[in-house]
Amino acid sequence: MSAVRDVDVVVVGAGPAGLLVSHLLRRQGLDVVVLERRSRAHVEARVRAGLLENGTVEVLRKAGLAGRLDADALVHDGLELRVDGVAHRLPFRELTGQPVFVYGQQLVVRDLLAAADADGADVRFEAADVQLSGLTSPAPVVRASTPQGPVAFRCRAVAGCDGYHGVARRSVPEGVFRTFTREHPYSWFGALAHTPPVSEELVYTISERGFALLSMRSPSVSRVYLQVPRGTRPQDVSDERLWGELQQRLGEEAPLTPGPVLERVLVDLRSVVVEPMQHGRLLLAGDAAHIVPPSAAKGLNMAVEDAEALAEALVADLRDGEPEALETYSRRRLPGVWQAQAFSDATTTLFHTPAGPDPDAAALADRLRRAALQRVLDSPTAARDFAEHYVGLARR
Ligand code: APR
Ligand code: PHB
């Protein structure tokens, strides 16, 4: 049996949410340990989304984490909605005053890990079989098996930042959380490719053949996605099919240059919200508390916003003894969480060619989403509303 060590906070998960919570708490002088199931190499290499709202960048700047981001991120002032091969620009900065930043999530994670190294933060990788107990007591205990042997921590609070498949949410008795879920009937095939982006701005392509998104990571690396039927496997989409489909969905006026595919991934589109985001002395943040379909790229932004609020709540509770701070965290976060869900759901409907067993219902859904899309293209009010959601202003 290992000795039990006392710490202020145990953070479960070293994704963007967990690493940012740890960083912010340590800056306030709290003693924090992070337990991560995967290896450091795995966490650093994981390619995910890459669109940061201005508000997210502000949080990272305030935390002293944006040095590389400010030097390397691509700053975007607009996006293209390409409908049946016809381009329509949405100048979101002109409409809202705010840009967005293209900077891969794994770079955010790399920057957070660099800060953790510099600070001497206690991050335990390859921590298997994490177990939480006493969550409604003043002193929860967290145990795990690590490559260095078993560990046990008695803490004053646990931050559950361990993603959708994590252990934190599942450690709470049945009936405490209410979980809202929608499985969307399509998936995205995503590829990272060594080829210059087709345009300087992101291109969201709506076509009869399905949705496609042309994004980027740098002037020489593209990030592209295709709507594919649920159940598609990454190996089902050959390079030839990928580039052929992208070109057909994009239309001929924007010729693509196929390049070597560096990484391929399949993402099922789902919406999930867990209410409340807290139970006893456990607080949930990021994908552990909610999942958005990636249509509007809100996942990382929500994780960062949660982490900031979670750290504030823990400081108020642990240092300042505010009695309601932990309950307030959930109440404070949920309205924004639902705004992000609503926009992510709306853009998912707007962008994708409806799928389903009933062709008449799919045809109706297609007409309806095209009518809604036409409003965004024709009406300055609808375009501004879309832009306010896209840049995150609608939540802040
Ligand atoms: N024990 C310890 N760690 C765990 C466990 C467990 N039982 N289960 C999962 N983890 C780890 C995962 O390995 C991962 O590193 O928790 C971390 C969760 O990180 P993310 O999945 O990146 O989630 P989060 O930090 O909330 O960031 C959300 O990630 O999935 C994207 O689109 C999403 O951009 C959003 C962001
Ligand atoms: C990405 O670049 O990975 C990306 C961008 C915008 C999205 C989703 C993903 O809506």
Side-chain angles (χ1 to χ4, degrees), residues 50-68:
L51 195 83
L52 275 57
E53 296 170 355
N54 192 52
T56 299
V57 172
E58 295 284 345
V59 172
L60 297 173
R61 282 193 189 126
K62 211 165 70 184
L65 292 162
R68 292 219 254 185

Side-chain angles (χ1 to χ4, degrees), residues 354 358-366:
D358 177 351
D360 287 339
L364 175 83
D366 192 46

Side-chain angles (χ1 to χ4, degrees), residues 11-19 35-39 42-43 46 48-50 105 109 127-130 160-168 170 285-292 294 297-304 306:
V11 175
V12 187
L19 289 170
L35 298 175
E36 164 59 47
R37 187 165 56 115
R38 311 302 295 252
S39 69
H42 180 93
V43 168
R46 212 160 35 190
R48 296 269 184 82
Q105 178 168 319
V109 168
D129 197 19
V130 171
C161 306
D162 50 352
Y164 182 57
H165 300 287
V167 67
R170 285 185 282 112
D287 279 13
H290 39 70
I291 302 279
V292 282
K298 295 295 174 221
L300 173 58
N301 296 290
M302 299 307 288
V304 166
D306 284 354

Side-chain angles (χ1 to χ4, degrees), residues 54-105:
N54 192 52
T56 299
V57 172
E58 295 284 345
V59 172
L60 297 173
R61 282 193 189 126
K62 211 165 70 184
L65 292 162
R68 292 219 254 185
L69 189 161
D70 276 324
D72 295 345
L74 305 169
V75 183
H76 284 199
D77 296 342
L79 60 82
E80 185 176 303
L81 291 170
R82 185 170 273 261
V83 184
D84 300 320
V86 181
H88 307 265
R89 184 166 186 268
L90 188 96
F92 50 72
R93 189 172 195 165
E94 199 180 299
L95 292 166
T96 66
Q98 296 212 359
V100 302
F101 298 77
V102 174
Y103 191 69
Q105 178 168 319

Side-chain angles (χ1 to χ4, degrees), residues 12-13 19 22 28 85 129 165 181 211 213-214 222 264 289 305 336 364 367 377:
V12 187
L19 289 170
S22 159
Q28 297 293 324
D129 197 19
H165 300 287
T181 305
F211 172 68
L213 169 59
L214 292 105
S222 294
R264 48 215 304 132
E305 221 171 287
L364 175 83
R367 291 291 199 279
L377 304 183

